[in-house]
Amino acid sequence: YNTSGYDTVETLHRLDGVVDIYMPDFKMWDKEHAAKYLHARDYPQVARQALCEMHRQVGVLRLDEHGLAKRGVLVRHLVMPEGIAGTASVAEFLANELSPDTYVNLMSQYHPAGKVNAATFPRINRSISTSEYSEAILATNRAGLHRYA
């Protein structure tokens, strides 16, 4: 189940026993950034509740002997310029509220597109730097997560 992470717990209850693998995004930690960039101030809270429910249903990602995912949660997190996504806070939440064994796809491919330009969103009008991605990896490690790509 590939999702933005902006799912209600009620919807997820209906999927209990149906979904084997949840692949939610966790886009942003800060509600002010979520309001500005996602037009959804409640995104962080909704995503936290959704991820907890997904984890309750299927647990940490389990792989078979060939490395094929069989069941669990795989969280995708896009690292943003200037730490806009709140990677350190997201990682701490995942490690502390779900499990340090939570699998995270720490994505580095952010590229401004669409309405993002220097006039509209100057802070995110560039790709992330190598040092920003390295800091995201360090923050993930400091939080105690060890299963990421």
Side-chain angles (χ1 to χ4, degrees), residues 60-127:
V60 298
L61 188 66
R62 292 181 299 288
L63 310 175
D64 70 10
E65 65 276 5
H66 305 289
L68 181 67
K70 299 305 281 183
R71 184 173 175 83
V73 177
L74 186 159
V75 179
R76 294 175 309 213
H77 178 70
L78 182 63
V79 178
M80 300 279 296
E82 297 190 30
I84 294 291
T87 301
S89 296
V90 168
E92 289 171 13
F93 168 80
L94 296 173
N96 296 328
E97 300 299 321
L98 302 188
S99 168
D101 295 326
T102 301
Y103 197 99
V104 181
N105 182 356
L106 201 57
M107 300 181 297
S108 62
Q109 67 263 36
Y110 174 77
H111 179 77
K115 295 180 182 178
V116 176
N117 59 53
T120 57
F121 299 109
R123 291 184 69 192
I124 62 170
N125 188 36
R126 63 175 177 82
S127 297

